[in-house]
Amino acid sequence: MTKSAAKKPTPPDLYLFLQMANIFAINRCSSSVYQRFIVQFNSTQRFNPLSSHVSKSRFIKLNNLRRNCSLSSDAAAPFIVADDEKYGNKQVISITPRLYDYILANAREPPILRQLREETANMRGSQMQVSPDQAQLLAMLVQILGAARCIELGVYTGYSSLAIALALPESGCLVACERDAKSLEVAKRYYELAGVSHKVSVKHGLAADVLKSMISNGETCSYDFAFVDAEKRMNQEYFELLLQLVRVGGVIVIDNVLWHGKVADPLVNDVKTVSIRNFNRNLMADDRVSISLVPIGDGMTICRKR
């Protein structure tokens, strides 16, 4: 190929840059992200992205969004204003890394839980572990309920189950279901270190099978609290089984209901996302429970059985 026939590098697609800026700004209300994209926008001389009505509209929309972000001098605590006026222009805090650090600094984490968290951080799949603020909420729910009998589906290395077990009375019981034997060994070691092994009944196997066995054994309506953090595509089945096991007035908490924000993105339609989205929709219409979707961690829905 001759030099004259060689293709010239394709100039940056600023339409794409603006779209990405819009997405980041909506998700994070980030002034710094907005500014970086606008610098790119202004400095590029290859073509003018404002040459069409569509690109002008995108730019105006992004600029309006920027004005809706109220930032402190160090961009530590932005808030987002709801677009829909029916919500009264409600200002909602958007969690930045600095603000999240502050939240974690104000979460009470027992030393044994911190030790487990730090060990788990070096393991494969460490992102599956709940955060200290989530664990604190789970423990408080158990205490508020006065729960004595609990269930957890999806133990991993035991951070959330240990938080629950520590909150249970000495006579309490937590049925902890996990299919991965290796991570379960870590959990059992920490139950021993924390002195709560007598409260935890470890079940190695598939969560649905364990729940069905408990129902067959006549344990229906005998549990106060359940936490679900297992296979997301099984959430509906887990929920139906737990409704049989949890008493009236008992609570079921489901983790990862926001799924990294994917549930709100109509362009994301993989199997897990669609499954969680459908489960959330079903919960909204389910009059067997009262619900509250809490945007903590990756989103947790608290269900109280009526």
Side-chain angles (χ1 to χ4, degrees):
M1 182 180 293
T2 65
K3 185 176 181 180
S4 60
K7 289 186 177 181
K8 294 181 180 180
T10 303
D13 185 346
L14 291 191
Y15 291 105
L16 178 60
F17 279 137
L18 285 173
Q19 185 177 14
M20 291 174 67
N22 196 25
I23 291 170
F24 275 112
I26 289 172
N27 287 341
R28 299 287 186 182
C29 204
S30 171
S31 175
S32 59
V33 170
Y34 170 88
Q35 292 294 347
R36 285 200 298 274
F37 279 102
I38 294 306
V39 167
Q40 177 91 37
F41 171 83
N42 288 331
S43 63
T44 302
Q45 300 298 323
R46 293 179 183 271
F47 65 92
N48 180 7
L50 291 183
S51 59
S52 72
H53 173 74
V54 173
S55 56
K56 285 182 181 178
S57 175
R58 287 180 180 174
F59 182 83
I60 292 170
K61 183 183 292 186
L62 183 59
N63 210 33
N64 287 340
L65 183 62
R66 168 68 177 87
R67 286 198 296 267
N68 279 340
C69 292
S70 175
L71 303 171
S72 66
S73 58
D74 59 359
F79 65 78
I80 296 175
V81 180
D83 289 336
D84 194 332
E85 291 182 359
K86 294 193 295 291
Y87 293 102
N89 296 316
K90 177 66 177 177
Q91 296 176 357
V92 182
I93 287 290
S94 178
I95 305 298
T96 63
R98 182 172 297 177
L99 182 56
Y100 189 57
D101 285 343
Y102 181 83
I103 291 170
L104 294 183
N106 284 275
R108 294 179 178 176
E109 182 182 37
I112 189 66
L113 281 177
R114 183 174 65 253
Q115 183 180 335
L116 172 55
R117 174 170 56 79
E118 290 173 351
E119 179 175 333
T120 303
N122 298 314
M123 295 177 59
R124 181 180 178 182
S126 59
Q127 73 280 359
M128 294 190 294
Q129 182 176 251
V130 302
S131 56
D133 50 329
Q134 287 180 289
Q136 182 177 251
L137 176 60
L138 293 173
M140 178 170 284
L141 288 172
V142 167
Q143 292 170 328
I144 290 172
L145 276 171
R149 291 169 59 81
C150 302
I151 302 170
E152 176 170 291
L153 308 183
V155 171
Y156 185 44
T157 59
Y159 189 88
S160 52
S161 56
L162 181 54
I164 291 169
L166 288 169
L168 285 171
E170 281 300 303
S171 59
C173 174
L174 168 64
V175 177
C177 309
E178 174 57 51
R179 66 183 181 182
D180 182 69
K182 186 176 180 180
S183 59
L184 196 55
E185 287 304 314
V186 177
K188 289 193 288 187
R189 175 159 51 86
Y190 273 88
Y191 299 152
E192 289 282 353
L193 288 172
V196 297
S197 290
H198 61 290
K199 301 181 187 180
V200 185
S201 176
V202 175
K203 304 292 184 181
H204 177 217
L206 297 177
D209 293 341
V210 173
L211 296 180
K212 289 173 184 176
S213 176
M214 293 165 66
I215 292 170
S216 298
N217 290 338
E219 299 180 51
T220 56
C221 299
S222 65
Y223 287 86
D224 307 298
F225 178 86
F227 177 51
V228 180
D229 190 12
E231 172 54 53
K232 309 310 169 188
R233 289 173 290 185
M234 295 286 289
N235 275 351
Q236 192 65 50
E237 182 174 356
Y238 296 150
F239 183 71
E240 295 298 332
L241 293 170
L242 287 170
L243 274 181
Q244 298 179 58
L245 289 163
V246 171
R247 64 173 173 82
V248 172
V251 167
I252 302 171
V253 180
I254 303 95
D255 197 18
N256 302 111
V257 293
L258 294 181
W259 200 231
H260 318 299
K262 294 179 183 179
V263 290
D265 188 344
L267 298 179
V268 179
N269 290 291
D270 61 272
V271 175
K272 279 193 177 183
T273 301
V274 170
S275 175
I276 295 170
R277 191 181 289 144
N278 290 340
F279 175 69
N280 291 343
R281 185 182 301 116
N282 291 341
L283 271 186
M284 275 289 292
D286 197 331
D287 59 7
R288 296 173 297 176
V289 290
S290 303
I291 65 169
S292 177
L293 195 166
V294 183
I296 183 174
D298 193 27
M300 299 170 76
T301 299
I302 302 169
C303 310
R304 180 180 181 274
K305 183 177 175 180
R306 290 175 171 172

